[in-house]
Amino acid sequence: MSAIAASSGISTTASALRRLYFVRFAFAIVWALVMFTTAMNLGPLAVTLLVLYPLFDVGAAIVDARSSRSTGSPTLLYVNVAVSSITAIAVAIASTSGIPAVLRVWGAWAIVAGLVQLIVAVPRRKMGGQWPMILSGGISVLAGSSFILGASAANPTLANAAGYAIPGGIFFLISALRLGRAAKGK
């Protein structure tokens, strides 16, 4: 592949990722704000939101994988699609057992998704805008562990799950802004 073709591939991928990251930022912030309003109980709105979040991640990972074909193998992104799909089903099932069960599923998902995010973002460092994604992946692993531990608390709440989306959204915004230069082919 020539240097011009490689540069064009990076520019195209960066542009697509930039748009995706802006959408992911907006979704995460709106989702978190709505989720905070229902975080104390596991009613129909909370369950819907908790299933919707990993389903949105499925769609985003598919868009990311399609955008990333020219700059590398999207295999791990398809692993994320499978994991997030399973998580949406598992959250729906866990919601019948209560908040602790949901937190355990949510935590396991955050750990696996964070590890996938780390593994995908590290090789993309040369494109730019990936350090926030690397940090976000690491934080996701730590947050997932805290969800699993928090499931054993006296009065577990979904507020931490809602709060989890905010830093992730902010990291997507930072990455989108940083990818602007790569999207312009500079």
Side-chain angles (χ1 to χ4, degrees):
M1 177 183 286
S2 72
I4 293 172
S7 176
S8 175
I10 289 173
S11 177
T12 302
T13 299
S15 182
L17 289 177
R18 187 169 196 250
R19 285 188 304 274
L20 175 63
Y21 290 175
F22 278 130
V23 170
R24 290 195 76 164
F25 161 72
F27 176 82
I29 299 304
V30 170
W31 182 90
L33 293 174
V34 175
M35 189 66 199
F36 272 125
T37 67
T38 184
M40 295 311 290
N41 63 45
L42 197 55
L45 178 58
V47 172
T48 300
L49 290 169
L50 289 164
V51 170
L52 180 62
Y53 199 93
L55 289 177
F56 183 83
D57 195 54
V58 167
I62 290 169
V63 171
D64 192 341
R66 289 180 179 162
S67 301
S68 300
R69 286 186 186 143
S70 65
T71 58
S73 173
T75 303
L76 282 173
L77 292 166
Y78 288 116
V79 169
N80 192 47
V81 167
V83 169
S84 293
S85 297
I86 291 166
T87 299
I89 295 165
V91 165
I93 293 168
S95 70
T96 64
S97 297
I99 291 175
V102 169
L103 287 173
R104 287 183 188 98
V105 170
W106 196 264
W109 175 55
I111 291 168
V112 172
L115 289 171
V116 170
Q117 188 174 20
L118 281 168
I119 295 168
V120 169
V122 168
R124 289 181 174 173
R125 288 185 322 249
K126 64 183 174 271
M127 185 182 345
Q130 294 304 301
W131 282 107
M133 293 296 91
I134 292 168
L135 292 172
S136 179
I139 290 169
S140 188
V141 170
L142 296 174
S145 301
S146 77
F147 297 145
I148 292 170
L149 294 172
S152 301
N155 292 314
T157 177
L158 298 169
N160 289 344
Y164 165 71
I166 294 172
I170 291 169
F171 282 122
F172 277 116
L173 176 62
I174 293 168
S175 284
L177 295 171
R178 292 184 54 125
L179 280 169
R181 185 174 179 175
K184 293 176 184 170
K186 293 179 181 179

